[in-house]
Amino acid sequence: MNEEAYLTLVIETLHQKIKDIAEKMSGNDKDIEAMHDYFWENYAEFDEYGYEIYDNSNALKSRMKEQSEYKREQMQYEKMLYAPYFGRVDFCYEGEDTPETYYIGIANLAKGRAQDPYVCDWRAPVSGLFYDYDKGPAEFLAPAGILHGEVTRKKQYKIKNGKIIYILENEMNIDDEILQQALLEHADASLKNIVTTIQKEQNKIIRDQSHRILAVQGCAGSGKTSVALHRIAYLLYHNRKNLSAAQVLILSPNSIFADYISRILPELGEENIREMTLDYFAYHMLKEYGEAEDRYDEIEKMLHEKESEEYFLSKSLKPSTKEAEYKQTKDYIEELNGFILSLEWELICIKDFRYKRIEMKESEISDLFYEKLSDVPILSRMEKIGEYLIDAEETLRGKNMAEEEKQEIFERLNKMYETRNLLDLYNRFLKETGRTLLDASDGMLPYEDVYPLLYLKYAVSEMPEKREVRHLVIDEMQDYSYLQYVLLEKMFDCPMTILGDEVQTMAGKRQDVLKFLPKIFGKDVHRVYLNKSYRSTTEIMNFVSRLSKEAGVQAVQRHGEEPQIISSKTREEMFGQMAGDIAKEKAADTIAVLCLDADSAAHVCAVLRQKYAMKEAVLLTKDSMKFKKGISVMPFYLAKGLEFDAVFIPDLQNYTTPLHKQALYINLTRALHSLRLYEVKEQKNE
């Protein structure tokens, strides 16, 4: 059968599948409606024990779930109509004379159950042959074991609206022409589905099920986040009995990035998964103590901060270590641990306990507190003792105690603590170590103290029940501190995919987290490196290397216009030049004006909108929730992980400190096709 005829067969099968599902859904709708009618018509006559209600409720839930599955299948098949498959691999099994042909697409398609598929899901074991092997000897792991043979032929397809645009037959994996064509496409305001161009090193990460904690260090534009999401889609596909989308959590940098990546999993045939920032979780756990600064508040302070002697710690600590940074380190944790140990004897004054007929001697309480409950965090021990007393009294009475009585017992026992207030305890620690006390009178917790406070909370009181998370994705791993990783290890006991780029840190000093992750998570951490960038043109990457002096990044050869640095005498002239250049970017779907800080971004956006009538310019702040096409103006730290067809960077002259240089690197590496920088040589007022 020739290629056109095979495509026709596949599309006809898809149409039939869609028609069959529509009929099933229609029948299901009628059944669901009939169930509702039966329930309300016969509700008063159901048996008194509720068995009929239970049975009818379960039957209705089953039909609703079935309907949801039908809808998911329908959407999947409708999506496949546009491009049913993108690859083909012919594999001759060992001992056979004739090769089997497998077409690769975003989902499985077969005419009926137990029949050979017309299209294989890209996540299926046999599809690994397409990504991992050139022509020649090959193998793949099937349910029956490792199957050996030879790849005899490979093809790649560009199909659009159900029509073949071109076919490439090649011996090497993922032909440069297809890869370059994909890279040339404009950013569509969402993370790219890279399934048609997955490279061998990326495929190895996606299909890795043998390592509990996979840490991916990848350069800017290497597709780290796309690979991580494809990995989640792969794991969900292969572990449906033990892993659902609701049990996967992504720790993302901000809500803008979360929205940016939200579209890719549905494209891969999976539901959206949960996401949040670690800051949000921390603030939720500490909300009784007030509002808290976030990471971006901290960055803004660092951007405007002048180095001064007052910012450094006392002489007892390294003079080059900033206090805010030190509070996130292993050494600070050890100081806190020493303080927590001292609380064992200093925080509690144990006395005889009496309440109505309930009594317990001081010696008994001490024995429970210091011996039998020594593994329980100190602020939770009296609650355990209270539970012991209540249980004994209820057994004696032969009935449950009133809630107000239980509460009274807990309150009386807790009065033996000098304080249970977390801020009071933390300030005691700060005072004992000669540090400035934390003043939260304005209801705001400084960012540098948020995670030490959370660590202290978990150390002195029982942690909340662990979240039902069975796989955790941590993006931008270089921006998490040692202390934050210690907390993550306590919070989540599950496999993890951790990814980031040491070079793209949002601090003046870089840290290689891969050096200390094994000390926190154990020897389970498996490191993988991605050193090839697919995002920017060769000209942009060469420009970035010259300007930032970063080496070691391999760029896919894709050519475009040379980046430019444009000098002006005044800011007014600079804005005029930049506005004119932005207006010329007619073909760009996504344009970014990337600034150093929030105030600069607000000012630049206002100038573009008011003076140059660019009403489509949108200011993105740390509270923004959506990322859309058009002109986006934002500080550098909100651009992390995003990519744009064209990037414009004003006020190059202001990038002077080490942190500014890091910000500039992040801004430069966001550009796909076009990059321009603007500087004012002679600063004047507008």
Side-chain angles (χ1 to χ4, degrees):
M1 187 182 298
N2 65 34
E3 294 289 2
E4 284 76 12
Y6 191 80
L7 179 59
T8 299
L9 172 65
V10 170
I11 289 176
E12 287 175 353
T13 304
L14 284 168
H15 279 298
Q16 186 60 49
K17 289 282 186 183
I18 293 167
K19 181 181 176 182
D20 292 345
I21 289 173
E23 290 175 358
K24 290 176 183 177
M25 290 179 70
S26 177
N28 242 7
D29 278 336
K30 291 177 182 177
D31 288 345
I32 290 169
E33 186 177 351
M35 285 180 177
H36 280 297
D37 291 342
Y38 176 80
F39 183 88
W40 291 113
E41 288 171 7
N42 298 278
Y43 179 77
E45 299 176 14
F46 286 161
D47 67 274
E48 62 181 301
Y49 300 106
Y51 293 127
E52 286 185 80
I53 293 177
Y54 179 79
D55 289 343
N56 277 274
S57 177
N58 279 348
L60 183 59
K61 286 178 182 176
S62 177
R63 287 301 176 94
M64 297 289 282
K65 184 178 179 182
E66 192 175 55
Q67 198 75 334
S68 178
E69 283 295 312
Y70 285 148
K71 185 65 178 175
R72 190 181 67 82
E73 282 186 59
Q74 185 185 54
M75 292 173 65
Q76 198 171 66
Y77 290 140
E78 286 174 349
K79 196 172 293 178
M80 288 179 73
L81 282 173
Y82 181 84
Y85 48 86
F86 51 79
R88 165 181 163 175
V89 60
D90 292 6
F91 184 68
C92 189
Y93 288 89
E94 195 172 66
E96 299 290 332
D97 297 324
T98 306
E100 297 284 345
T101 297
Y102 299 101
Y103 286 83
I104 315 298
I106 63 168
N108 282 315
L109 175 68
K111 190 169 185 179
R113 291 183 180 275
Q115 291 188 315
D116 290 338
Y118 291 144
V119 179
C120 295
D121 192 294
W122 67 275
R123 297 163 288 191
V126 72
S127 299
L129 295 169
F130 175 74
Y131 295 112
D132 286 336
Y133 292 97
D134 306 325
K135 284 178 69 174
E139 63 184 37
F140 70 95
L141 179 62
I146 297 177
L147 300 179
H148 300 270
E150 181 181 0
V151 172
T152 61
R153 195 176 196 184
K154 285 178 67 173
K155 288 186 178 183
Q156 290 175 263
Y157 303 84
K158 177 66 174 179
I159 299 174
K160 190 174 181 180
N161 291 323
K163 302 289 184 184
I164 295 175
I165 307 302
Y166 56 77
I167 304 173
L168 290 176
E169 184 160 356
N170 56 321
E171 295 186 6
M172 301 299 289
N173 187 53
I174 310 300
D175 189 274
D176 281 347
E177 185 174 341
I178 282 190
L179 177 59
Q180 290 186 15
Q181 182 62 38
L183 295 173
L184 280 169
E185 294 174 1
H186 293 289
D188 63 351
S190 66
L191 202 64
K192 283 188 174 64
N193 176 346
I194 62 168
V195 70
T196 60
T197 59
I198 291 172
Q199 305 295 288
K200 286 181 182 178
E201 66 272 20
Q202 295 174 330
N203 193 49
K204 189 175 180 181
I205 296 168
I206 291 167
R207 294 172 184 263
D208 188 322
Q209 295 195 74
S210 60
H211 296 103
R212 185 172 178 273
I213 298 178
L214 188 64
V216 182
Q217 179 88 271
C219 65
S222 59
K224 297 181 296 294
T225 306
S226 283
V227 168
L229 293 177
H230 283 70
R231 171 170 164 75
I232 292 303
Y234 178 84
L235 294 174
L236 289 169
Y237 178 85
H238 283 274
N239 299 282
R240 289 206 176 276
K241 291 184 179 179
N242 301 313
L243 184 68
S244 69
Q247 294 169 326
V248 179
L249 174 66
I250 296 179
L251 288 182
S252 59
N254 53 61
S255 297
I256 299 170
F257 184 74
D259 179 61
Y260 182 69
I261 66 175
S262 65
R263 300 169 184 82
I264 191 167
L265 279 171
E267 282 190 26
L268 298 175
E270 297 295 344
E271 304 169 53
N272 273 330
I273 57 183
R274 294 184 294 164
E275 67 77 29
M276 70 173 186
T277 65
L278 184 58
D279 284 352
Y280 174 82
F281 177 81
Y283 306 152
H284 178 73
M285 298 306 298
L286 297 172
K287 62 183 178 182
E288 64 183 289
Y289 301 103
E291 292 293 319
E293 292 180 338
D294 59 25
R295 173 67 169 149
Y296 301 130
D297 294 322
E298 181 78 359
I299 292 171
E300 285 288 336
K301 285 196 294 185
M302 290 165 63
L303 287 168
H304 299 100
E305 178 182 278
K306 292 182 179 178
E307 299 292 351
S308 64
E309 293 182 5
E310 289 80 11
Y311 195 76
F312 293 108
L313 283 172
S314 63
K315 294 179 181 179
S316 61
L317 298 172
K318 296 178 182 178
S320 61
T321 305
K322 292 182 178 179
E323 186 172 7
E325 294 172 354
Y326 181 77
K327 286 181 177 181
Q328 310 302 313
T329 64
K330 183 180 179 181
D331 288 342
Y332 195 66
I333 293 174
E334 289 177 354
E335 283 193 56
L336 275 168
N337 287 338
F339 169 73
I340 293 162
L341 193 61
S342 72
L343 293 177
E344 288 281 326
W345 304 99
E346 297 175 4
L347 188 62
I348 190 83
C349 181
I350 297 175
K351 304 173 183 177
D352 290 344
F353 178 83
R354 291 183 182 84
Y355 174 68
K356 294 185 177 179
R357 292 179 299 175
I358 303 172
E359 292 186 8
M360 183 174 275
K361 296 291 185 182
E362 176 187 336
S363 59
E364 293 179 85
I365 297 174
S366 293
D367 182 59
L368 286 171
F369 192 90
Y370 289 113
E371 300 295 334
K372 295 179 181 177
L373 296 174
S374 60
D375 291 337
V376 176
I378 188 170
L379 291 186
S380 297
R381 291 182 202 173
M382 282 301 180
E383 185 176 345
K384 296 292 183 185
I385 293 171
E387 290 171 359
Y388 172 82
L389 287 170
I390 290 166
D391 184 59
E393 180 65 16
E394 288 181 338
T395 302
L396 189 64
R397 293 184 187 182
K399 62 178 182 179
N400 292 336
M401 292 178 65
E403 286 302 319
E404 56 268 23
E405 288 183 301
K406 294 180 183 179
Q407 193 61 36
E408 180 68 21
I409 289 172
F410 289 131
E411 287 178 2
R412 290 191 180 202
L413 286 169
N414 282 334
K415 284 180 180 177
M416 295 186 193
Y417 291 109
E418 182 182 328
T419 180
R420 290 173 53 83
N421 184 281
L422 192 65
L423 283 181
D424 290 345
L425 290 174
Y426 188 61
N427 269 330
R428 177 187 290 195
F429 163 74
L430 293 175
K431 184 178 181 180
E432 288 181 6
T433 55
R435 293 181 169 90
T436 304
L437 298 186
L438 179 61
D439 180 11
S441 57
D442 60 353
M444 184 64 70
L445 301 175
Y447 185 76
E448 67 190 64
D449 294 302
V450 168
Y451 290 98
L453 271 168
L454 189 59
Y455 181 85
L456 182 60
K457 179 183 176 73
Y458 283 164
V460 298
S461 56
E462 285 193 319
M463 290 181 64
E465 196 170 314
K466 288 197 174 182
R467 302 171 66 88
E468 182 57 24
V469 174
R470 294 191 177 177
H471 197 99
L472 180 69
V473 179
I474 303 174
D475 205 356
E476 304 294 348
M477 66 181 180
Q478 71 281 355
D479 292 327
Y480 292 83
S481 68
Y482 185 95
L483 172 55
Q484 288 172 322
Y485 279 112
V486 169
L487 286 166
L488 287 169
E489 191 276 332
K490 291 178 180 292
M491 290 158 52
F492 300 101
D493 182 21
C494 64
M496 300 181 188
T497 301
I498 306 174
L499 52 144
D501 177 13
E502 177 187 354
V503 181
Q504 293 185 68
T505 182
M506 293 194 296
K509 184 179 178 182
R510 298 176 188 175
Q511 64 167 352
D512 184 359
V513 302
L514 295 184
K515 288 183 178 178
F516 63 70
L517 281 186
K519 297 176 183 176
I520 298 171
F521 293 104
K523 295 179 181 179
D524 286 346
V525 180
H526 178 66
R527 305 174 184 86
V528 181
Y529 297 87
L530 294 175
N531 295 318
K532 185 176 287 186
S533 177
Y534 300 94
R535 177 183 292 145
S536 307
T537 63
T538 303
E539 286 75 15
I540 289 175
M541 290 309 298
N542 289 340
F543 178 83
V544 172
S545 295
R546 290 195 303 271
L547 204 63
S548 65
K549 297 181 174 57
E550 290 297 335
V553 176
Q554 307 167 34
V556 173
Q557 292 298 308
R558 177 173 66 86
H559 294 284
E561 65 179 54
E562 285 284 348
Q564 297 179 46
I565 298 178
I566 299 163
S567 299
S568 303
K569 292 182 178 180
T570 65
R571 293 194 81 210
E572 184 175 6
E573 182 183 330
M574 179 191 73
F575 284 132
Q577 180 69 51
M578 185 171 70
D581 290 342
I582 292 173
K584 294 174 185 175
E585 290 287 349
K586 303 295 184 184
D589 290 326
T590 55
I591 296 172
V593 180
L594 302 181
C595 304
L596 189 57
D597 54 42
D599 288 343
S600 299
H603 177 67
V604 170
C605 189
V607 169
L608 292 177
R609 288 176 61 84
Q610 296 167 15
K611 191 164 186 177
Y612 298 97
M614 291 187 173
K615 301 300 182 185
E616 68 274 28
V618 175
L619 175 66
L620 295 182
T621 71
K622 66 175 185 176
D623 298 318
S624 298
M625 303 294 289
K626 296 290 183 182
F627 177 76
K628 298 178 181 179
K629 294 181 181 180
I631 303 172
S632 301
V633 186
M634 69 189 84
F636 82 94
Y637 47 78
L638 294 181
K640 292 286 291 290
L642 309 182
E643 59 184 33
F644 306 89
D645 293 324
V647 168
F648 299 85
I649 304 172
D651 292 316
L652 181 61
Q653 74 281 353
N654 291 339
Y655 291 79
T656 55
T657 72
L659 176 57
H660 295 167
K661 300 297 184 184
Q662 290 296 129
L664 182 60
Y665 180 81
I666 291 168
N667 285 346
L668 294 173
T669 53
R670 302 307 96 200
L672 282 164
H673 312 296
S674 178
L675 174 64
R676 288 187 178 84
L677 300 86
Y678 303 84
E679 63 179 357
V680 179
K681 282 296 182 76
E682 297 178 18
Q683 188 75 41
K684 292 181 181 179
N685 294 328
E686 290 184 54

